[in-house]
Amino acid sequence: MSANGSTMRQLLWQDPVCSGWKQDLEGAVYHLANCFLLLGFMGGSGVYGCFYLFGFLGTGYVCCVMWGWFDACGLDIILWSFLLAMACLFQLAHLVYRLRKNTLPEEFDLLYKTLCLPLQVPLQVYKEIVHCCEEQVFTLATEQTYAVEGETPINRLSLLLSGRVRVSQDGQFLHYIFPYQFMDSPEWESLQPSEEGVFQVTLTAETACSYISWPRKSLHLLLSKERYISRLFSALLGYDISEKLYALNDKLFAKFGLRFDIRLPSLYHVLGPAAPDTGPESEKDDEEVRESAMPTSAQQTPPRSPLPAASGPPAPPSRARMSRPDSGVLGEDSASLVLEDFEEVSGSESFMDYRSDGEYMR
């Protein structure tokens, strides 16, 4: 202890051991190395901050190696500077490896920014979802079918990434599927995990399409293990199904211009089979009856003599009948208004019709 104490007193209070100070300054490489070290220690945090830190530190230690080799001529300076420079290079290589490992393919990265990032889904959770589909992207050529009505089994859940898919049933066009919409969400929700079924519609690619697909068993296993992912898929599938229902609702309209709402009560009973067509002869007979009734009633009604002026106050004017609200804005009793409008339509006309593909797109 006394020896250590005497050494400390010599270092602090006695004159330095150096016999003489150098009059010349160190070379430019030495000062350049210290400048790089200073910049390196000013680095920030995070991945890019680590790149900045180890990049400048590694460059500074390489300059120290050059200074020890050319100016200082000291083996210890060269060895320590070399080891520190190699440590910084290994750290940079590790950061590059982690970035490449965590980087998603372009299609999945765009899917995350479009669909999951607005919902603040953590990236790690999204990677589990992507891992379930094995990061595979499938393609469909133009007019290639994804599913055939009554034949294709429901054994997966797919999400469209690009292109446009046409949905039809019995040759009748229903609606389109656009990018970042599920292709078979109604079929997925219609079955329990233990049940099996087939598609009730046909899905055909109108353009070149790409999509990702989750196997049914693998996805059910993931949803049963991760509650957060299960709630996320429940919200996404519910929104997707509602969009498809509204797309069908836009196609349903009457010839007299009233746009229906699929949520109205008793609409199913109103949209039943139309009355049998009685032909043009019955329509002609009805018109003749109405025309003959009008002059007959006018001839049989004798002209009335003007009434004497009454002594009492004049009668109040008759109130005009209130006009029916616009069909585009239905009030509280919207179902009754729809039923009244149906009564006014001739029975020979069809109550509903479906637009063609071109009209639906317009």
Side-chain angles (χ1 to χ4, degrees), residues 58-81:
T59 307
Y61 289 127
V62 170
C63 293
C64 288
V65 171
M66 297 173 60
W67 169 71
W69 182 270
F70 293 107
D71 294 338
C73 300
L75 183 61
D76 53 349
I77 298 176
I78 296 174
L79 291 178
W80 277 109
S81 300

Side-chain angles (χ1 to χ4, degrees), residues 318-356:
S318 61
R319 296 177 62 184
R321 185 181 177 182
M322 299 296 293
S323 61
R324 183 174 299 172
D326 188 12
S327 60
V329 182
L330 297 179
E332 220 176 59
D333 197 10
S334 57
S336 60
L337 294 178
V338 173
L339 296 178
E340 291 177 6
D341 290 334
F342 270 114
E343 293 176 358
E344 297 177 2
V345 181
S346 174
S348 61
E349 294 183 356
S350 175
F351 289 143
M352 58 179 290
D353 193 6
Y354 286 96
R355 296 181 179 176
S356 62

Side-chain angles (χ1 to χ4, degrees), residues 115-135:
L115 199 62
C116 296
L117 189 59
L119 300 177
Q120 299 180 357
V121 178
L123 184 60
Q124 193 63 33
V125 175
Y126 177 71
K127 289 179 181 178
E128 294 184 17
I129 299 174
V130 171
H131 180 71
C132 184
C133 69
E134 300 178 355
E135 297 186 11

Side-chain angles (χ1 to χ4, degrees), residues 123-248:
L123 184 60
Q124 193 63 33
V125 175
Y126 177 71
K127 289 179 181 178
E128 294 184 17
I129 299 174
V130 171
H131 180 71
C132 184
C133 69
E134 300 178 355
E135 297 186 11
Q136 293 184 0
V137 179
F138 302 93
T139 58
L140 287 175
T142 305
E143 297 301 326
Q144 182 180 355
T145 56
Y146 168 80
V148 180
E149 178 181 353
E151 298 180 8
T152 306
I154 305 173
N155 55 8
R156 55 182 173 171
L157 177 66
S158 300
L159 180 71
L160 187 64
L161 296 179
S162 62
R164 188 176 67 189
V165 175
R166 180 178 67 252
V167 182
S168 59
Q169 185 179 35
D170 295 332
Q172 178 68 39
F173 168 77
L174 296 180
H175 62 87
Y176 283 113
I177 298 176
F178 297 100
Y180 303 109
Q181 290 184 347
F182 288 97
M183 301 175 65
D184 40 13
S185 53
E187 289 78 11
W188 174 270
E189 290 290 335
S190 64
L191 295 179
Q192 296 296 328
S194 59
E195 296 178 348
E196 296 182 357
V198 294
F199 278 82
Q200 302 299 318
V201 293
T202 300
L203 280 71
T204 308
E206 280 211 341
T207 60
C209 301
S210 62
Y211 66 95
I212 59 176
S213 185
W214 292 273
R216 184 177 181 84
K217 294 182 179 180
S218 301
L219 185 56
H220 271 302
L221 182 61
L222 177 64
L223 298 182
S224 62
K225 290 169 52 180
E226 301 291 340
R227 190 173 182 181
Y228 177 81
I229 299 178
S230 176
R231 291 182 177 180
L232 174 64
F233 268 85
S234 178
L236 293 175
L237 290 171
Y239 177 78
D240 187 80
I241 293 175
S242 65
E243 288 291 320
K244 289 179 172 61
L245 289 177
Y246 278 112
L248 290 175

